[in-house]
Amino acid sequence: MAGTSLGKALSILEALENERGSASLGEVARATGVTKPTAHRMLALLEERGYVCRLPNRDYALGPRLIPLGDHARRRNSLVTVAGPVLDRLVAQCNETIHLGVVSGRSLLYVDRREPADDAVRLGVLPAALTSLHASAAGKVLLAFGPDALLEQVIDSGLPRYTAHTITSSDELRAELRQVSAQGYALNEQERNEGIRAVAVPVLTADGRCPAALSAAGPIRRLTLDGLDRARTLLARGAAEIAAADVF
């Protein structure tokens, strides 16, 4: 499909689904392996249909037509449907931001999120919907309990540094993931955003697969180590409830 018009259009949309949220014409062409004229022609068609929009700086970004499609797909997703009440309960119990994450390619995709009702306790900087697996608690859980091939792909693609605390060494990451696998949860100590820590647990199926992860995140000034431990216990109960629904 990659060489077809549909395949090229899908590749362009996937290229725009990055952490920056936009890309230039040249970046789109390089990411999708097509020429600039082809990329420009495809982008123009997608823009005309509302699937792509042009920013003031001339970069391209995902367009508003995708919003209702994404909302509809999310509502129809059985995992999101089952997990919704669990996330509602967890945000009330933890009073921290709760995420449900899955693997998308070599990245972590947050498919659902709950924020505390009190503005004063929300995260100062919310994670992007799509972020790096190695620099997040949920991502490390998915790597630790996922297939070895995924870890190798992530390492081969590079481990970008986001803060002074980000793990950028493959050996260090492997050691961290062995610990995550042994203890059954992962921590994120300011590895993606300064001042933010998180804890995550796996959603494990009966046959040992880990299709999703639950995490709680908040500012380090409020989410203490004791708070992390309490959140971990609550997340583990929620993960077991989601796994028991057998939607995977």
Side-chain angles (χ1 to χ4, degrees), residues 163-216:
T163 73
H165 308 279
T166 306
I167 296 174
T168 58
S169 160
S170 60
D171 289 341
E172 186 179 349
L173 179 61
R174 292 181 196 277
E176 173 95 352
L177 296 180
R178 285 193 293 270
Q179 182 176 348
V180 171
S181 181
Q183 66 192 15
Y185 65 91
L187 298 177
N188 174 1
E189 289 286 351
Q190 306 184 75
E191 295 165 46
R192 184 62 180 83
N193 298 99
E194 291 283 357
I196 302 298
R197 63 162 45 116
V199 58
V201 301
V203 177
L204 294 173
T205 63
D207 59 0
R209 292 179 296 112
C210 178
L214 274 177
S215 65

Short mmCIF file of all heavy atoms in Angstrom, two decimals, residues 163-216:
data_model
loop_
_atom_site.label_atom_id
_atom_site.label_comp_id
_atom_site.label_asym_id
_atom_site.label_seq_id
_atom_site.Cartn_x
_atom_site.Cartn_y
_atom_site.Cartn_z
N THR A 163 15.31 16.13 29.01
CA THR A 163 15.77 16.85 30.19
C THR A 163 17.09 16.23 30.63
O THR A 163 17.54 15.24 30.06
CB THR A 163 14.75 16.74 31.36
OG1 THR A 163 14.81 15.41 31.91
CG2 THR A 163 13.33 17.04 30.89
N ALA A 164 17.65 16.79 31.68
CA ALA A 164 18.91 16.24 32.20
C ALA A 164 18.71 14.85 32.79
O ALA A 164 19.68 14.11 33.02
CB ALA A 164 19.47 17.17 33.28
N HIS A 165 17.45 14.45 33.02
CA HIS A 165 17.15 13.16 33.66
C HIS A 165 16.78 12.07 32.66
O HIS A 165 16.61 10.92 33.05
CB HIS A 165 15.99 13.34 34.65
CG HIS A 165 16.19 14.45 35.63
ND1 HIS A 165 16.95 14.31 36.76
CD2 HIS A 165 15.73 15.72 35.63
CE1 HIS A 165 16.95 15.46 37.43
NE2 HIS A 165 16.22 16.33 36.76
N THR A 166 16.68 12.41 31.37
CA THR A 166 16.26 11.43 30.36
C THR A 166 17.31 10.35 30.18
O THR A 166 18.51 10.63 30.12
CB THR A 166 16.04 12.12 29.00
OG1 THR A 166 15.13 13.20 29.16
CG2 THR A 166 15.46 11.14 28.00
N ILE A 167 16.86 9.11 30.09
CA ILE A 167 17.76 7.99 29.80
C ILE A 167 18.07 7.99 28.31
O ILE A 167 17.16 7.87 27.48
CB ILE A 167 17.11 6.65 30.20
CG1 ILE A 167 16.90 6.59 31.72
CG2 ILE A 167 17.98 5.48 29.75
CD1 ILE A 167 16.14 5.36 32.18
N THR A 168 19.33 8.13 27.97
CA THR A 168 19.74 8.15 26.56
C THR A 168 20.73 7.03 26.23
O THR A 168 21.14 6.90 25.08
CB THR A 168 20.38 9.50 26.20
OG1 THR A 168 21.51 9.73 27.06
CG2 THR A 168 19.37 10.64 26.37
N SER A 169 21.09 6.23 27.22
CA SER A 169 22.01 5.11 27.02
C SER A 169 21.19 3.82 26.89
O SER A 169 20.33 3.54 27.71
CB SER A 169 22.97 4.99 28.21
OG SER A 169 23.54 3.69 28.28
N SER A 170 21.49 3.04 25.85
CA SER A 170 20.75 1.79 25.66
C SER A 170 21.00 0.82 26.82
O SER A 170 20.09 0.12 27.25
CB SER A 170 21.15 1.14 24.34
OG SER A 170 22.54 0.86 24.29
N ASP A 171 22.22 0.79 27.32
CA ASP A 171 22.53 -0.09 28.46
C ASP A 171 21.75 0.32 29.70
O ASP A 171 21.22 -0.53 30.43
CB ASP A 171 24.03 -0.08 28.76
CG ASP A 171 24.85 -0.80 27.71
OD1 ASP A 171 24.27 -1.60 26.94
OD2 ASP A 171 26.07 -0.55 27.63
N GLU A 172 21.68 1.62 29.95
CA GLU A 172 20.94 2.12 31.10
C GLU A 172 19.45 1.83 30.95
O GLU A 172 18.76 1.47 31.92
CB GLU A 172 21.18 3.62 31.27
CG GLU A 172 20.57 4.20 32.55
CD GLU A 172 20.83 5.67 32.72
OE1 GLU A 172 21.67 6.21 31.96
OE2 GLU A 172 20.21 6.29 33.60
N LEU A 173 18.95 1.99 29.72
CA LEU A 173 17.53 1.71 29.49
C LEU A 173 17.22 0.23 29.71
O LEU A 173 16.22 -0.11 30.34
CB LEU A 173 17.15 2.12 28.07
CG LEU A 173 15.68 1.86 27.68
CD1 LEU A 173 14.73 2.64 28.58
CD2 LEU A 173 15.44 2.24 26.22
N ARG A 174 18.08 -0.63 29.20
CA ARG A 174 17.86 -2.06 29.39
C ARG A 174 17.85 -2.42 30.88
O ARG A 174 17.01 -3.21 31.34
CB ARG A 174 18.95 -2.87 28.68
CG ARG A 174 18.89 -2.78 27.16
CD ARG A 174 19.99 -3.64 26.54
NE ARG A 174 20.23 -3.30 25.15
CZ ARG A 174 19.52 -3.78 24.14
NH1 ARG A 174 18.51 -4.59 24.38
NH2 ARG A 174 19.81 -3.43 22.88
N ALA A 175 18.77 -1.84 31.64
CA ALA A 175 18.82 -2.11 33.08
C ALA A 175 17.56 -1.60 33.77
O ALA A 175 17.00 -2.27 34.65
CB ALA A 175 20.06 -1.46 33.69
N GLU A 176 17.12 -0.42 33.37
CA GLU A 176 15.89 0.15 33.94
C GLU A 176 14.69 -0.75 33.64
O GLU A 176 13.86 -0.99 34.52
CB GLU A 176 15.66 1.54 33.35
CG GLU A 176 14.34 2.17 33.75
CD GLU A 176 14.44 3.09 34.94
OE1 GLU A 176 15.52 3.12 35.56
OE2 GLU A 176 13.46 3.76 35.25
N LEU A 177 14.61 -1.26 32.44
CA LEU A 177 13.46 -2.09 32.05
C LEU A 177 13.48 -3.43 32.77
O LEU A 177 12.41 -3.99 33.08
CB LEU A 177 13.44 -2.29 30.54
CG LEU A 177 13.23 -1.01 29.71
CD1 LEU A 177 13.22 -1.34 28.22
CD2 LEU A 177 11.94 -0.31 30.11
N ARG A 178 14.67 -3.96 33.05
CA ARG A 178 14.75 -5.20 33.84
C ARG A 178 14.18 -4.97 35.23
O ARG A 178 13.47 -5.82 35.78
CB ARG A 178 16.20 -5.69 33.92
CG ARG A 178 16.70 -6.33 32.62
CD ARG A 178 18.00 -7.08 32.85
NE ARG A 178 19.11 -6.19 33.18
CZ ARG A 178 19.92 -5.65 32.29
NH1 ARG A 178 19.73 -5.87 30.99
NH2 ARG A 178 20.92 -4.87 32.67
N GLN A 179 14.48 -3.80 35.79
CA GLN A 179 13.95 -3.47 37.11
C GLN A 179 12.42 -3.29 37.06
O GLN A 179 11.71 -3.75 37.94
CB GLN A 179 14.60 -2.19 37.63
CG GLN A 179 14.13 -1.79 39.03
CD GLN A 179 14.86 -0.57 39.56
OE1 GLN A 179 15.87 -0.15 38.99
NE2 GLN A 179 14.37 0.00 40.64
N VAL A 180 11.95 -2.63 36.01
CA VAL A 180 10.51 -2.44 35.84
C VAL A 180 9.80 -3.79 35.75
O VAL A 180 8.76 -4.02 36.39
CB VAL A 180 10.21 -1.61 34.58
CG1 VAL A 180 8.71 -1.60 34.26
CG2 VAL A 180 10.72 -0.18 34.75
N SER A 181 10.37 -4.71 34.98
CA SER A 181 9.79 -6.04 34.82
C SER A 181 9.75 -6.78 36.15
O SER A 181 8.77 -7.47 36.46
CB SER A 181 10.59 -6.83 33.80
OG SER A 181 10.04 -8.12 33.61
N ALA A 182 10.80 -6.63 36.95
CA ALA A 182 10.88 -7.34 38.22
C ALA A 182 9.92 -6.77 39.26
O ALA A 182 9.29 -7.53 40.03
CB ALA A 182 12.32 -7.29 38.76
N GLN A 183 9.77 -5.44 39.30
CA GLN A 183 8.96 -4.83 40.35
C GLN A 183 7.50 -4.61 39.94
O GLN A 183 6.64 -4.39 40.78
CB GLN A 183 9.58 -3.50 40.79
CG GLN A 183 9.57 -2.42 39.73
CD GLN A 183 10.45 -1.22 40.10
OE1 GLN A 183 11.27 -1.30 41.01
NE2 GLN A 183 10.28 -0.10 39.41
N GLY A 184 7.23 -4.65 38.63
CA GLY A 184 5.86 -4.55 38.17
C GLY A 184 5.33 -3.15 37.97
O GLY A 184 4.13 -2.96 37.76
N TYR A 185 6.19 -2.16 37.98
CA TYR A 185 5.77 -0.78 37.73
C TYR A 185 6.97 0.04 37.29
O TYR A 185 8.13 -0.39 37.44
CB TYR A 185 5.13 -0.15 38.97
CG TYR A 185 6.07 0.03 40.14
CD1 TYR A 185 6.80 1.21 40.32
CD2 TYR A 185 6.24 -0.99 41.08
CE1 TYR A 185 7.67 1.36 41.39
CE2 TYR A 185 7.11 -0.84 42.15
CZ TYR A 185 7.81 0.34 42.30
OH TYR A 185 8.69 0.49 43.36
N ALA A 186 6.71 1.21 36.73
CA ALA A 186 7.79 2.10 36.27
C ALA A 186 7.58 3.49 36.82
O ALA A 186 6.45 3.93 37.06
CB ALA A 186 7.81 2.16 34.74
N LEU A 187 8.69 4.19 37.02
CA LEU A 187 8.66 5.57 37.47
C LEU A 187 9.24 6.47 36.39
O LEU A 187 10.09 6.05 35.59
CB LEU A 187 9.46 5.74 38.76
CG LEU A 187 8.99 4.97 39.99
CD1 LEU A 187 9.95 5.20 41.15
CD2 LEU A 187 7.57 5.37 40.37
N ASN A 188 8.82 7.69 36.39
CA ASN A 188 9.37 8.72 35.52
C ASN A 188 9.71 9.92 36.40
O ASN A 188 8.81 10.60 36.89
CB ASN A 188 8.36 9.10 34.44
CG ASN A 188 8.82 10.28 33.58
OD1 ASN A 188 9.91 10.82 33.77
ND2 ASN A 188 7.99 10.70 32.66
N GLU A 189 10.97 10.15 36.60
CA GLU A 189 11.43 11.26 37.45
C GLU A 189 11.94 12.39 36.58
O GLU A 189 13.13 12.47 36.28
CB GLU A 189 12.50 10.78 38.43
CG GLU A 189 12.00 9.86 39.54
CD GLU A 189 11.21 10.62 40.60
OE1 GLU A 189 11.20 11.86 40.56
OE2 GLU A 189 10.60 9.95 41.47
N GLN A 190 11.03 13.24 36.10
CA GLN A 190 11.38 14.42 35.31
C GLN A 190 12.11 14.06 34.02
O GLN A 190 12.93 14.83 33.53
CB GLN A 190 12.23 15.39 36.13
CG GLN A 190 11.63 15.81 37.46
CD GLN A 190 12.48 16.84 38.17
OE1 GLN A 190 12.51 18.00 37.80
NE2 GLN A 190 13.19 16.39 39.19
N GLU A 191 11.83 12.91 33.46
CA GLU A 191 12.55 12.44 32.28
C GLU A 191 11.99 13.00 30.97
O GLU A 191 12.70 13.05 29.97
CB GLU A 191 12.56 10.91 32.25
CG GLU A 191 13.32 10.31 33.43
CD GLU A 191 13.05 8.84 33.62
OE1 GLU A 191 13.07 8.10 32.62
OE2 GLU A 191 12.81 8.42 34.77
N ARG A 192 10.73 13.41 31.00
CA ARG A 192 10.12 14.00 29.79
C ARG A 192 9.88 15.50 29.97
O ARG A 192 10.05 16.27 29.03
CB ARG A 192 8.80 13.29 29.47
CG ARG A 192 8.13 13.77 28.18
CD ARG A 192 9.03 13.49 26.99
NE ARG A 192 8.43 13.95 25.74
CZ ARG A 192 8.49 15.19 25.28
NH1 ARG A 192 9.11 16.13 26.00
NH2 ARG A 192 7.97 15.51 24.12
N ASN A 193 9.47 15.89 31.16
CA ASN A 193 9.23 17.30 31.48
C ASN A 193 9.81 17.62 32.85
O ASN A 193 9.57 16.88 33.81
CB ASN A 193 7.73 17.62 31.48
CG ASN A 193 7.08 17.41 30.13
OD1 ASN A 193 6.46 16.38 29.88
ND2 ASN A 193 7.22 18.37 29.23
N GLU A 194 10.56 18.70 32.94
CA GLU A 194 11.11 19.13 34.22
C GLU A 194 9.98 19.38 35.22
O GLU A 194 8.95 19.97 34.89
CB GLU A 194 11.93 20.42 34.05
CG GLU A 194 13.21 20.25 33.26
CD GLU A 194 14.33 19.59 34.07
OE1 GLU A 194 14.11 19.31 35.28
OE2 GLU A 194 15.41 19.35 33.49
N GLY A 195 10.18 18.89 36.44
CA GLY A 195 9.22 19.15 37.50
C GLY A 195 8.04 18.19 37.54
O GLY A 195 7.16 18.34 38.38
N ILE A 196 8.01 17.21 36.63
CA ILE A 196 6.89 16.28 36.56
C ILE A 196 7.40 14.86 36.81
O ILE A 196 8.37 14.41 36.21
CB ILE A 196 6.19 16.32 35.18
CG1 ILE A 196 5.70 17.73 34.89
CG2 ILE A 196 5.04 15.32 35.14
CD1 ILE A 196 4.66 18.25 35.85
N ARG A 197 6.71 14.15 37.71
CA ARG A 197 7.02 12.74 37.93
C ARG A 197 5.76 11.91 37.70
O ARG A 197 4.63 12.42 37.75
CB ARG A 197 7.57 12.49 39.33
CG ARG A 197 6.63 12.80 40.48
CD ARG A 197 7.07 12.12 41.79
NE ARG A 197 8.49 12.23 42.09
CZ ARG A 197 9.00 12.87 43.14
NH1 ARG A 197 8.20 13.52 43.97
NH2 ARG A 197 10.30 12.89 43.33
N ALA A 198 5.96 10.62 37.45
CA ALA A 198 4.83 9.75 37.16
C ALA A 198 5.14 8.32 37.57
O ALA A 198 6.30 7.94 37.75
CB ALA A 198 4.49 9.80 35.66
N VAL A 199 4.07 7.54 37.74
CA VAL A 199 4.19 6.11 38.00
C VAL A 199 3.21 5.41 37.07
O VAL A 199 2.13 5.93 36.78
CB VAL A 199 3.88 5.79 39.48
CG1 VAL A 199 2.49 6.25 39.88
CG2 VAL A 199 4.05 4.30 39.77
N ALA A 200 3.59 4.23 36.58
CA ALA A 200 2.74 3.50 35.64
C ALA A 200 2.79 2.01 35.95
O ALA A 200 3.79 1.49 36.46
CB ALA A 200 3.18 3.75 34.20
N VAL A 201 1.69 1.34 35.61
CA VAL A 201 1.60 -0.12 35.79
C VAL A 201 1.08 -0.74 34.49
O VAL A 201 0.41 -0.07 33.70
CB VAL A 201 0.65 -0.49 36.95
CG1 VAL A 201 1.13 0.13 38.26
CG2 VAL A 201 -0.78 -0.07 36.65
N PRO A 202 1.39 -2.01 34.26
CA PRO A 202 0.90 -2.68 33.05
C PRO A 202 -0.53 -3.17 33.18
O PRO A 202 -0.98 -3.52 34.27
CB PRO A 202 1.87 -3.86 32.90
CG PRO A 202 2.24 -4.19 34.32
CD PRO A 202 2.30 -2.87 35.04
N VAL A 203 -1.25 -3.17 32.08
CA VAL A 203 -2.53 -3.88 31.98
C VAL A 203 -2.20 -5.21 31.32
O VAL A 203 -1.91 -5.26 30.11
CB VAL A 203 -3.55 -3.09 31.14
CG1 VAL A 203 -4.84 -3.88 30.99
CG2 VAL A 203 -3.83 -1.73 31.78
N LEU A 204 -2.20 -6.27 32.09
CA LEU A 204 -1.72 -7.57 31.62
C LEU A 204 -2.88 -8.51 31.31
O LEU A 204 -3.80 -8.67 32.13
CB LEU A 204 -0.81 -8.21 32.66
CG LEU A 204 0.53 -7.50 32.93
CD1 LEU A 204 1.24 -8.15 34.11
CD2 LEU A 204 1.41 -7.53 31.69
N THR A 205 -2.83 -9.15 30.16
CA THR A 205 -3.84 -10.13 29.79
C THR A 205 -3.53 -11.47 30.45
O THR A 205 -2.45 -11.67 31.02
CB THR A 205 -3.88 -10.32 28.27
OG1 THR A 205 -2.61 -10.84 27.83
CG2 THR A 205 -4.14 -8.99 27.56
N ALA A 206 -4.48 -12.40 30.35
CA ALA A 206 -4.30 -13.71 30.97
C ALA A 206 -3.11 -14.46 30.38
O ALA A 206 -2.48 -15.27 31.08
CB ALA A 206 -5.58 -14.54 30.80
N ASP A 207 -2.79 -14.19 29.12
CA ASP A 207 -1.66 -14.88 28.49
C ASP A 207 -0.35 -14.09 28.59
O ASP A 207 0.63 -14.40 27.92
CB ASP A 207 -1.96 -15.20 27.03
CG ASP A 207 -2.29 -13.96 26.19
OD1 ASP A 207 -2.26 -12.85 26.75
OD2 ASP A 207 -2.57 -14.12 24.98
N GLY A 208 -0.35 -13.05 29.44
CA GLY A 208 0.89 -12.34 29.73
C GLY A 208 1.24 -11.19 28.83
O GLY A 208 2.31 -10.58 28.97
N ARG A 209 0.37 -10.82 27.89
CA ARG A 209 0.64 -9.67 27.03
C ARG A 209 0.33 -8.37 27.76
O ARG A 209 -0.45 -8.35 28.71
CB ARG A 209 -0.20 -9.76 25.75
CG ARG A 209 0.19 -10.88 24.82
CD ARG A 209 -0.71 -10.91 23.59
NE ARG A 209 -2.09 -11.19 23.93
CZ ARG A 209 -3.09 -10.32 23.81
NH1 ARG A 209 -2.85 -9.08 23.36
NH2 ARG A 209 -4.33 -10.64 24.13
N CYS A 210 0.95 -7.28 27.30
CA CYS A 210 0.73 -5.96 27.90
C CYS A 210 0.28 -4.99 26.80
O CYS A 210 1.11 -4.25 26.26
CB CYS A 210 2.01 -5.47 28.59
SG CYS A 210 1.84 -3.82 29.32
N PRO A 211 -1.00 -4.96 26.48
CA PRO A 211 -1.48 -4.10 25.41
C PRO A 211 -1.67 -2.65 25.82
O PRO A 211 -1.89 -1.78 24.96
CB PRO A 211 -2.83 -4.73 25.03
CG PRO A 211 -3.28 -5.38 26.29
CD PRO A 211 -2.05 -5.85 26.99
N ALA A 212 -1.61 -2.37 27.12
CA ALA A 212 -1.86 -0.99 27.58
C ALA A 212 -1.19 -0.76 28.92
O ALA A 212 -0.75 -1.70 29.60
CB ALA A 212 -3.37 -0.73 27.70
N ALA A 213 -1.08 0.51 29.29
CA ALA A 213 -0.50 0.89 30.58
C ALA A 213 -1.33 2.01 31.19
O ALA A 213 -1.86 2.86 30.47
CB ALA A 213 0.95 1.33 30.41
N LEU A 214 -1.43 2.01 32.50
CA LEU A 214 -2.09 3.07 33.25
C LEU A 214 -1.04 3.87 34.00
O LEU A 214 -0.13 3.30 34.59
CB LEU A 214 -3.08 2.49 34.26
CG LEU A 214 -4.50 2.16 33.82
CD1 LEU A 214 -5.25 1.53 34.98
CD2 LEU A 214 -5.23 3.40 33.34
N SER A 215 -1.17 5.19 33.99
CA SER A 215 -0.19 6.01 34.70
C SER A 215 -0.86 7.17 35.42
O SER A 215 -1.96 7.60 35.06
CB SER A 215 0.88 6.55 33.74
OG SER A 215 0.31 7.44 32.80
N ALA A 216 -0.19 7.65 36.45
CA ALA A 216 -0.60 8.85 37.18
C ALA A 216 0.59 9.79 37.19
O ALA A 216 1.72 9.38 37.44
CB ALA A 216 -1.03 8.51 38.61
#
